[in-house]
Amino acid sequence: MAAELEACRNLLDQRNALAEQAMKAEIALVRTIRERICPLLSKQADGANANDRNELTIDYQALIDCRHKAEEHLLRSQRVLYVNRQQFRFYTAAGAKLARQADGLDQELPDRECSQLR
């Protein structure tokens, strides 16, 4: 039983690492579009993220609105390459490939042994 649990943990760790890499690819894409749509606001947000002592006042509602505009732009201009099991859309080839791999590992997880870890 301990060996099965360890195997489950290893699969979950692999799946989570792939899913994280896939998400990072998509986050970078949206960020690039956001920077194009709202360059000043994006620069302020990046500066605030780099600075632990958030000295800048950021209009978070404007940042959220800009993020939504970037996502809408993606929906209109890019083809969805993959939708994962959580219904997250992947537009980049790298993100789609990694997400498929993560979902594939998720399929390998035996239900009985790994259900408590999910």
Side-chain angles (χ1 to χ4, degrees):
M1 181 75 169
E4 292 172 354
L5 198 56
E6 184 63 28
C8 287
R9 282 194 181 106
N10 289 337
L11 276 176
L12 282 169
D13 288 346
Q14 285 179 298
R15 182 204 61 193
N16 291 342
L18 288 167
E20 182 180 336
Q21 290 174 0
M23 294 293 291
K24 284 181 179 181
E26 302 307 306
I27 289 167
L29 175 63
V30 172
R31 182 179 182 178
T32 299
I33 294 169
R34 187 194 76 201
E35 288 171 348
R36 214 175 317 138
I37 293 171
C38 312
L40 181 60
L41 191 58
S42 293
K43 188 174 182 178
Q44 288 174 343
D46 291 343
N49 284 337
N51 186 358
D52 291 339
R53 298 173 55 214
N54 191 357
E55 297 170 10
L56 294 173
T57 302
I58 296 174
D59 182 347
Y60 286 102
Q61 187 58 53
L63 187 60
I64 290 168
D65 292 343
C66 183
R67 170 77 184 212
H68 288 302
K69 287 177 187 175
E71 290 170 350
E72 288 170 8
H73 175 77
L74 260 178
L75 284 170
R76 287 190 314 270
S77 66
Q78 299 249 27
R79 191 178 69 136
V80 175
L81 299 177
Y82 184 69
V83 178
N84 73 359
R85 295 173 57 121
Q86 290 79 31
Q87 301 306 305
F88 187 86
R89 294 179 198 101
F90 290 85
Y91 298 93
T92 65
K97 179 182 176 184
L98 292 164
R100 277 189 192 94
Q101 290 174 349
D103 281 352
L105 287 178
D106 204 39
Q107 294 285 330
E108 292 180 29
L109 295 170
D111 287 332
R112 287 187 181 170
E113 292 83 8
C114 298
S115 61
Q116 67 270 19
L117 295 176
R118 285 187 179 178

